[in-house]
Amino acid sequence: MKSLIAANWKMNMDIKEAVSFIKDFKERVKDIKDVEMVICPPFTLLNEIKGLIKNTNIKLGGQNMHFEDSGAFTGEVSGLMLKDVGCEYVILGHSERRQIFNETDELINKKIKAALQHKLNPILCIGETLDQRDNNKTIKIIENQLMNCLNNISEDEMKHVVVAYEPIWAIGTGKTATPSQAEDVHKFIRELLTNIYNENIAENTRIIYGGSMKPENAKELLSMPNINGGLVGGASLDAKSFGEICGMS
Ligand code: PGA
């Protein structure tokens, strides 16, 4: 399976910075063929970046969306709109959305369904807090999040879903899960997918890791058997660092 490296720019970059990043980045990664590379910038940059990555090996993704297509939802953006502006992916259920904006598994499930209807590939984020890990609840939390978020998602639809394991204690903290800590959870997620769906779906679903991934630790993480890529925050804001990570997969 082709690994996936996605940049989660969060609420960073203006148009000028984004243009200079993409011009630099696309040169650095132009020979990479066996990795899917996705940039998920703020909504304000999508249209500009779409023009810059035309005919390249770089794809575009949103960081969030509403589950309705249109209407009176001030401040929201729909899957239809993301598709219209050229997105192929959308990050859903990021821990910052869950923690700061109170998103629940039920809401994320609705968003996944809407994304799939518009032929957007959801990158579903799941992960435990430090407190939950310390209390040996990681497995239970991951199981609940995965089961609830994938409720009523068919086997066929699942072919388009990417799962991102992002331990919350490793996000933006500089604290990375060790390759074996991450691998343990990724392996568990794959087993869960076998139980919910079947072995074929489980084997073909990309399970990517996120949480302080950077050039210094990416190679080891990406070499683990059940880690099929990365969701990169901080290190994706620098074209050189992100290009290096993409080249390691
Ligand atoms: P980080 O963020 O790489 O800055 O830890 C990852 C993420 O939140 O997706």
Side-chain angles (χ1 to χ4, degrees), residues 11 15 31 45 53 71-72 84-85 93 102 115 124 128 145 163 165-166 182 188 197 199 219 249:
M11 198 170 72
I15 296 177
D31 295 326
L45 303 173
I53 60 173
D84 182 50
V85 76
N102 301 320
L124 162 64
E128 81 288 0
Q145 288 179 345
V163 179
Y165 169 55
E166 296 208 309
F188 174 68
Y197 297 96
E199 221 157 87
K219 205 173 180 71
S249 194

Side-chain angles (χ1 to χ4, degrees), residues 8 10 91 94-96 125 166 170-174 210-213 231-236:
N8 177 10
K10 309 193 179 183
I91 299 171
H94 190 279
S95 61
E96 285 148 21
C125 302
E166 296 208 309
I171 295 179
T173 57
S212 297
M213 187 182 263
L231 182 55
V232 189
S236 76

Side-chain angles (χ1 to χ4, degrees), residues 5 213-215 218 222 232 235 241-249:
I5 307 283
M213 187 182 263
K214 43 186 182 271
L222 294 168
V232 189
S241 298
F242 191 56
E244 277 173 26
I245 296 173
C246 290
M248 281 170 187
S249 194

Side-chain angles (χ1 to χ4, degrees), residues 8-11 40-43 62-67 73-78 82 90-109 111 123-127 145 149 166 168 171 231:
N8 177 10
W9 281 4
K10 309 193 179 183
M11 198 170 72
C40 304
F43 297 133
Q63 294 178 16
N64 180 35
M65 56 173 262
H66 195 278
F67 57 85
F73 301 101
T74 303
E76 293 290 315
V77 163
S78 73
L82 290 183
V90 59
I91 299 171
L92 293 175
H94 190 279
S95 61
E96 285 148 21
R97 301 289 326 164
R98 292 175 187 262
Q99 292 191 319
I100 308 170
F101 302 99
N102 301 320
E103 291 200 8
T104 60
D105 287 341
E106 289 67 30
L107 177 69
I108 296 158
N109 175 249
K111 293 183 178 199
I123 301 175
L124 162 64
C125 302
I126 55 176
Q145 288 179 345
C149 292
E166 296 208 309
I168 295 172
I171 295 179
L231 182 55

